[in-house]
Amino acid sequence: MNDLALLLTPEGRALLDEVRDTAPADELAVATRLRRDHPAELVSAALGQARLRQRAAAKFGHEDAGRMFFTPNGVEQSTRTPVAAYRAQRFRDLGVTSVADLCCGIGGDAIALARAGIRVLAVDRDPLTAAAARANAEALGLAGLIEVREADVTEVDVTGYDAVFVDPARRGGRGRIFDPEAYSPPLSWAVRTAAGAPLAALKIAPGIPHEAVPGAAEAEWVSDGGDVKEAVLWFGTGTPGAVRATLLPGPRTLAGRGLPDPLVRPVGRYLYEPDGAVIRAHLVAEVAEEIGGGLVDPTIAYVTADELRPTPYASAYEITDRLPFNVKKLKALLRERAVGTLTVKKRGSAVEPEELRRKVKPQGPNAATVFLTRVAGAPTMLVGAPAREVAGAPRTG
């Protein structure tokens, strides 16, 4: 708290501007120089905050991160801006004008909601975190829309707000928490609170088992740039039991239609790797139907087809070679093709990509992708390249 208070003074803000671009290797020299004119405690706080801002740029962008105030946990646990902005827009599209943001952290979601024109009550029980959220609302010119309250979220009256957003802390002093009842607050409390609101969104870990999703909720898995970031349980949207996968940027949303598992078929000319959100949402069947394909194995989320049908929900590769798992054969093939850049993907294989690269020692000007997987139960290597990059490579195997 003292560090943040120091940084909010005119001297602290000026010092933050001065150390903004300090590289880690230069911190000692910069600290030594600045301590001649500034208190050591302030210099240390400014350099620490500059380091956090540099880390936060990946989530918030350089412009916002350069003006905001962070805690180590805040950087780690906050929602990245594209994901928060998507969720805020969805609230807006649902007619929401006010949200109680419970467990607001350093204010990432509150900022996105306010920028969507939504009035926000942002609540966190940690004094430093709440102070950072308040400072961020002011730094970004959003204090008129964001009220920050330091309180226990379980004791806050949310009556009068159109919607509730709950993001329980899933990390503790020893790292990630896997027991939902050990979240802060417990998941059971968060579900009851969300289910009791007119409309609500509950952010949860993307690995939640489908059987653990309440029947009254709509479940949405969200990825950004191909990386699965979160799952959200929506209450009050009028679509209980619905499942969807949303891909950013876009957004592009694939809705579940309750299709049966795709049939298994022989490997065709193309292999499709569904986006992680699609896989988490159990919507591989929807992708398979869209491209007219089937699975390479009943337990593997790779779809194969004979025709190229571009889809935003999966990456397409043209397969040039199919081999039984054999490192020597793969090494010989890569040498023959002069492959020096090798991308290794795996699903259903215990082999580590770096271990395989060390063994095959790729060399040459060309590139290839190898999939380590199972085909009809047999360990298999599928070699190819992104479909748009293949130019008539010979087919074997």
Side-chain angles (χ1 to χ4, degrees), residues 330-344 353-368 370:
L330 178 63
K331 185 175 182 178
L333 176 67
L334 298 177
R335 186 185 304 116
E336 176 187 335
R337 302 282 169 80
V339 171
T341 302
L342 181 65
T343 300
V344 181
E354 286 306 318
E355 176 188 355
L356 182 67
R357 285 195 195 89
R358 284 195 301 270
K359 290 181 177 179
V360 299
K361 300 176 182 177
Q363 293 181 341
N366 298 324
V370 58

Side-chain angles (χ1 to χ4, degrees), residues 265-273 287-294 303-311 314-319 387 395:
R265 53 148 291 172
V267 176
R269 182 174 181 180
Y270 296 98
L271 186 76
Y272 292 81
E273 181 183 29
V287 170
E289 182 182 73
E290 180 179 329
I291 64 176
V303 179
T304 187
D306 295 320
E307 296 181 4
L308 178 60
R309 297 184 186 178
T311 170
S315 300
Y317 296 81
E318 186 167 5
I319 301 302
R395 296 172 55 80

